[in-house]
Amino acid sequence: MFVIATLADTIRIDPQLFFQSTRTSVHQEIDKKYPNRVLMDVGLVICRYGDVPVGQIGDGMCVPGEGAAHHEVVFRCIIFRPFVEEVCLGHIVESTEEGITVSLGDFFSDIFIPAYWMLRPSEFDKKSGLWVWTPDYGDGEEDGDEGEHGDEGENGEN
């Protein structure tokens, strides 16, 4: 569910931050740019993981007409990336005929599961306002199943 990913980016440091060490400025800029951002094919960035080693921060380059320094940086982040069909525990916040809204604690509170993703056979019970899963286990309670597994003889006698 949570992984540590190594990312590389060009980090822009404004001239107002030149009084600090480059490492501190890079940390601040990464912490502003990446948390709560979804990166394609990576996942949701939670936060920066650890300090960026000095060797992972490239030399600053100035672009003509701009006073900021641009540094190539390699850093690690904690990423939320659930795998396909991973089971997560949550609390049902709301249940309607359209589906259910689930909360994963303080982390996510607005996950919507539509009705067509419910396990089959499921149905919405209007009286209780909840989704009910009604599987058929083939336990023989339906009409026409008598004698299939019973102790009856050839002629239907016991």
Side-chain angles (χ1 to χ4, degrees):
M1 180 179 297
F2 292 96
V3 295
I4 296 174
T6 302
L7 305 173
D9 193 7
T10 301
I11 303 296
R12 181 181 185 276
I13 299 176
D14 286 328
Q16 297 91 332
L17 300 177
F18 286 169
F19 71 93
Q20 300 177 11
S21 70
T22 303
R23 186 174 176 191
T24 302
S25 299
V26 165
H27 286 176
Q28 287 177 353
E29 293 302 311
I30 291 172
D31 291 343
K32 275 197 270 183
K33 182 176 181 179
Y34 281 95
N36 295 322
R37 176 176 256 178
V38 177
L39 301 177
M40 182 68 76
D41 297 327
V42 177
L44 174 69
V45 178
I46 304 300
C47 65
R48 177 178 45 88
Y49 179 76
D51 290 334
V52 178
V54 176
Q56 300 293 323
I57 301 174
D59 293 333
M61 301 178 82
C62 289
V63 177
E66 182 181 356
H70 299 264
H71 295 269
E72 292 289 330
V73 181
V74 177
F75 57 96
R76 297 186 304 172
C77 289
I78 297 175
I79 307 290
F80 175 71
R81 180 175 53 200
F83 56 85
V84 176
E85 295 184 10
E86 180 174 359
V87 176
C88 299
L89 297 178
H91 300 281
I92 296 175
V93 176
E94 182 182 19
S95 179
T96 64
E97 288 188 54
E98 290 79 32
I100 59 174
T101 304
V102 179
S103 171
L104 296 180
D106 293 335
F107 193 58
F108 287 117
S109 60
D110 57 353
I111 299 170
F112 181 71
I113 302 171
Y116 58 84
W117 281 3
M118 300 290 180
L119 290 175
R120 301 280 188 257
S122 294
E123 57 188 36
F124 184 72
D125 182 13
K126 292 182 182 183
K127 184 177 179 182
S128 65
L130 298 173
W131 279 89
V132 180
W133 182 44
T134 55
D136 178 21
Y137 293 114
D139 53 3
E141 292 180 7
E142 297 175 7
D143 293 339
D145 286 347
E146 293 92 27
E148 189 175 326
H149 303 289
D151 294 5
E152 298 176 359
E154 269 183 28
N155 300 333
E157 302 171 7
N158 286 341

